[in-house]
Amino acid sequence: MKQTLLAAWCGLTLVCGWTAHAQNSDSLNIAADQADSMNKLDMLVGKAQKRLEYIMTNLNDLTDGDDKNNSFDKFKDNLDDLHSIRDDIKDRVEKVRDLQGKRIGAWTKEVSGMNDKDMRKLTNDQIDKAKADFDALDKQMRDLGGDANDLTAKLEDLKKYFASSFSADSVNAAKSQIEGAKKSAREMVTASDALRDTIAKSKKVVKGTVNE
């Protein structure tokens, strides 16, 4: 009889444990989705950085007068890939923003059911901080997006220029524009590093693992 009761108790404990685990609040479930989406965004930004590094190598080869490795064709291919990655980044950023709105909405709704005013204030303060932190990340994403638009426009102009007149003389004539594009690309890589650092920190805060 004792063994039967013990088995029943252990089974009940196990079920309750799983039930409690499965019953996260809506805001925490959304937070987990948002953290996952931030992780995917980070990987996409990393892919864009790598593609920019390839493009800078292509431009270096062109300015050195070395096209035996089809540097111009590789430049065009890498630029096309960069456009594709940027489209994926834009979609992922919108996903992260959408989940932020849903998370804050769910969190605010959960707080409204609290009876203790001090607990409500404590949680509202946390929500306000979460909003401010995300606003800072969002500004960084928007600023980098604007710079990326300017850079890709410069690279597209170079592609069109070389497509219509590709020779040692035309490359030499456009050296100033090429160097300007390379400078912007280097700055973009550095700014992307800063954004990825912010994403990593934001992801930890959203997941509640900031001290890990």
Side-chain angles (χ1 to χ4, degrees):
M1 181 66 177
K2 287 183 178 179
Q3 288 180 338
T4 301
L5 288 173
L6 180 60
W9 170 251
C10 290
L12 180 61
T13 302
L14 181 61
V15 170
C16 289
W18 278 108
T19 302
H21 179 73
Q23 290 180 341
N24 275 342
S25 67
D26 287 344
S27 64
L28 288 180
N29 288 330
I30 296 170
D33 290 341
Q34 188 182 23
D36 179 64
S37 208
M38 285 179 172
N39 189 55
K40 291 175 180 176
L41 174 60
D42 175 59
M43 289 189 288
L44 285 169
V45 174
K47 286 178 65 176
Q49 285 180 294
K50 182 61 68 177
R51 198 58 51 187
L52 273 175
E53 290 169 359
Y54 293 158
I55 286 172
M56 284 189 285
T57 297
N58 301 149
L59 292 176
N60 280 333
D61 290 342
L62 287 173
T63 52
D64 289 342
D66 178 13
D67 195 43
K68 62 179 181 292
N69 294 319
N70 299 317
S71 299
F72 180 48
D73 288 338
K74 290 179 181 178
F75 167 73
K76 290 188 293 184
D77 290 342
N78 283 319
L79 182 53
D80 287 343
D81 287 344
L82 181 62
H83 281 304
S84 178
I85 295 168
R86 285 206 64 215
D87 287 340
D88 290 339
I89 288 175
K90 290 174 186 177
D91 290 342
R92 183 54 56 183
V93 166
E94 287 307 312
K95 181 68 174 177
V96 170
R97 286 177 181 145
D98 178 62
L99 287 169
Q100 171 70 5
K102 290 178 178 177
R103 178 170 73 101
I104 295 299
W107 198 358
T108 301
K109 183 178 179 181
E110 290 158 7
V111 173
S112 68
M114 288 182 174
N115 295 313
D116 187 274
K117 66 178 182 179
D118 291 332
M119 287 299 296
R120 282 201 308 274
K121 182 181 183 308
L122 177 64
T123 311
N124 279 323
D125 287 345
Q126 292 175 337
I127 292 174
D128 288 342
K129 185 178 186 308
K131 289 178 180 177
D133 288 344
F134 187 80
D135 285 346
L137 169 62
D138 198 30
K139 182 180 184 305
Q140 200 172 353
M141 291 190 295
R142 290 181 189 280
D143 288 346
L144 189 63
D147 291 341
N149 288 338
D150 293 340
L151 173 59
T152 51
K154 290 179 182 178
L155 295 173
E156 276 295 328
D157 284 347
L158 285 173
K159 185 179 80 170
K160 293 172 184 175
Y161 170 75
F162 288 134
S164 63
S165 175
F166 186 67
S167 66
D169 287 342
S170 64
V171 170
N172 189 59
K175 273 194 173 181
S176 176
Q177 287 80 4
I178 294 172
E179 289 303 318
K182 285 162 56 180
K183 180 176 182 293
S184 295
R186 287 192 296 271
E187 292 171 349
M188 179 64 59
V189 170
T190 300
S192 295
D193 279 335
L195 175 61
R196 295 183 72 186
D197 286 343
T198 304
I199 291 172
K201 292 174 184 176
S202 297
K203 182 177 65 176
K204 285 187 175 183
V205 171
V206 168
K207 289 178 66 178
T209 58
V210 68
N211 293 322
E212 288 185 1

